[in-house]
Structure formats: C-alpha cells, structure tokens
Amino acid sequence: MSKPKVAFYWCASCGGCEEAVVDLAEGILPVVEAVDIVFWPVALDFKRSDVEAMADGEIAACFVNGAIRTSEQEEMAQLLRRKAQLLIAFGSCAHMGGIPGLANFKDRDSILERVYQEVPTIGNPEKTRPQEETPIDGDESLTLPAFSNTVRTLDQTVDVDYYLPGCPPPVKLIVNAVTAILEGKLPPKGTVLAPDKALCDECPRKETKPEEMKIEQFKRPHQIIIDPEECLLAQGLLCLGPATRSGCEAACINGNMPCTGCLGPTSRVKDYGAKALSAIASSLEADDEQTIARLMEGIVDPAGTFYRYSLPASLLHRRRQTTEGTEA
Ligand code: SF4
Ligand code: SF4
Ligand code: SF4
C-alpha cells in the first residue's frame, strides 16, 4: 500500500517552524517511515511544478507555516489547498498572523520607506524600491511577487482544516497531530490541536498564583531578580498565562520568563488581545483612573504586547488606514 503523501510549505515566516519539524530529532524517523514527503522546499529539492503536476487531493496533509503577505504566498496557499485533503495552519503566523502580522500596525508604503530609505545602514540615494516588473533586454522583464498592504492569516486566504498553535508549535503537539492524522483520529474540522484550557492550569507555579491578584507595578524581566518558584504575574511581570492556551508545558515559565501568548486563546475567546488585556486589567491594584493610567504606563507598547501574535486574526485586524487608495 502506498504511504500517505505529506507536504510542508512556508510563507511569511522566520523559519522557526521548519526548525520545529527538525526538532522532532529521532522522532522524525517513524514519521518519515510512515509517510511520503512530496514537497518541503526548505529541505528537499521539489519545485512548484511538481505540486502542480499532482492530482487534486493527492496530498493527504499539508502543513503551512507563515502568514500571507505576497501574491506568491497566496498562489501557493491556493495551490496547496487544492492538492491537499487536509490543510493545517502550522504555527502562530499561519494561525493568527504571528510576529509578521505586527506589520499591520503600518502600511505598505511606510514599511518600504523605512526598509529601503530610512534605516541608518542603508545606502540608497536614488531611493530605489523593489518593483513588481522590471524590463530588461528586448521584450523580457524580471518580476517579483506583489507585496500587499495587509498581512493575513492562512484561513483569511484559503479554507483551513486544523491549527497547530505556537511560535513554533511544541514538538509534543506536532507528534500528537501527525499521529492523529496517521491513525485517522482527528477531532472536528476547525479544531486547534492543543488542550483547550489556560496555561495557568498546567503551570508549575500555579499554587503560588494568588486567588486575588493585586499588581501595584509592572516590571520588565531585566529590572528584577526573578524568583524561580513564584507566579511571575504576582511578581509584577506581564505573564499572559491567564489568557493563553496551554500545550507548551509552560516552556517559557520553566525558563523563568513570562508567557507572551504564542499559543493564542482558548476556543471560547474571539479576540486574544482583548482577553489578555482584560485578564491583566482585572489583576491591577487600582480603584481610580489615575492609578490605572500610571500602572498601564509601565507596559511598554501595549498594542504590540497584547496582539504580539494575533493582530491579523483579531477583531481589529489592522491599524486604521490613513493613506488614500490603500486596500484594507
Ligand atoms: S510561528 Fe514563530 S517560529 Fe513559526 S514562522 Fe512564525 S515567527 Fe517563526
Ligand atoms: S500567571 Fe504565569 S506564572 Fe502565574 S500561574 Fe499563570 S502562567 Fe504561571
Ligand atoms: S509559555 Fe507562552 S509564549 Fe512561551 S511557549 Fe508557552 S504559550 Fe508560548
């Protein structure tokens, strides 16, 4: 019997999710034994034309990491959606927009201006910017993918079957997902393949988390000697564990660092940033607006903090556009 075909692809991503697959270490051997990897550009020399030549639905499962920012990424998402029976959004960027999604606080022009003109390390007196089409000799031209104004999640681009959350997804969740696919024991379509409870529930410090949290001042990790046993939020560190889905075995907490929310929300929450803000706001020791404002000043970049991984998937989606003629 032929093995199920599996594909991996990356869109607007940092490559960390590809590393997470490699992090399976010897655990990858039974996977490789059980499946036929037919497309994985970062590791194997298959081309887009190889995928185009496949029949629709020929790939059993395709794992796509990264957000969608360019026309090429959109085309590849559509192609892989057609060719795969199961499309899995792999990692925070595909799931919620992730770190690349923070670019939705800016628009395309200001990003290009910053990168190609303003940064101190760039020498570009002619203010050259990448062009979608550049004529060369004769009738020939060089082309680049279009760079859109807004970063989208995978499911804002194509239909997605499952989500593997995390930045990158924890190895254990990857193994569980691959096993469920191979054994045909998948939950209903649309499920996030991780426990549906908050990180605080699996945190080794949960016994030290006060019943009633009373934060009097926010501190940043480099400003204090962090107690390695006590709840980080109780120490005044902005730990987003109360709003974040579990499944990482409290990886950051075990490293004595607060959770920044990469696994996103549980299924009952529509907007991760709003939930995280509300969880933190309810932990403040403040009864009046002045004290609340003073405490909140201790949070550097609140929008970027609470929507670090989820701005494109949020109800906000992106910053309001001020440039005329730009797409939303
Ligand atoms: S989810 Fe994290 S590790 Fe994966 S591509 Fe995005 S930024 Fe990189
Ligand atoms: S707030 Fe953070 S440190 Fe405290 S119990 Fe929750 S996850 Fe653990
Ligand atoms: S502790 Fe939070 S930020 Fe760290 S891996 Fe887990 S969910 Fe992600």
Side-chain angles (χ1 to χ4, degrees), residues 12-17 65-66 90-93 99-100 166-169:
S13 96
C14 75
C17 281
N65 72 75
F90 188 90
S92 308
C93 297
I99 300 288
C167 179

Side-chain angles (χ1 to χ4, degrees), residues 125-155:
E126 291 176 2
K127 301 184 178 172
T128 305
R129 287 193 189 176
Q131 301 299 312
E132 283 172 34
E133 189 162 0
T134 306
I136 52 170
D137 295 344
D139 295 335
E140 297 287 308
S141 62
L142 295 174
T143 58
L144 284 173
F147 182 72
S148 73
N149 198 41
T150 300
V151 177
R152 280 172 292 150
T153 64
L154 188 62
D155 70 1

Side-chain angles (χ1 to χ4, degrees), residues 307-319:
Y307 288 99
R308 183 181 309 225
Y309 303 98
S310 66
L311 182 59
S314 72
L315 297 174
L316 301 174
H317 187 47
R318 63 158 301 123
R319 187 178 187 150

Side-chain angles (χ1 to χ4, degrees), residues 17-32:
C17 281
E18 307 280 352
E19 288 288 332
V21 178
V22 178
D23 280 350
L24 288 170
E26 61 273 14
I28 203 169
L29 296 176
V31 176
V32 173

Side-chain angles (χ1 to χ4, degrees), residues 14 33 68 81 96 102 117 127 139 157 166 187 191 200 208 213 223 228 236-237 248-249 272 287 292 313 317 320:
C14 75
E33 186 70 24
I68 306 296
R81 172 65 282 184
M96 304 182 291
L102 287 171
Q117 288 164 232
K127 301 184 178 172
D139 295 335
T157 311
T191 301
C200 288
T208 65
M213 190 73 73
Q223 293 174 325
L237 295 163
C248 65
E249 299 178 318
Y272 175 83
D287 291 327
I292 293 170
H317 187 47
R320 200 163 149 241

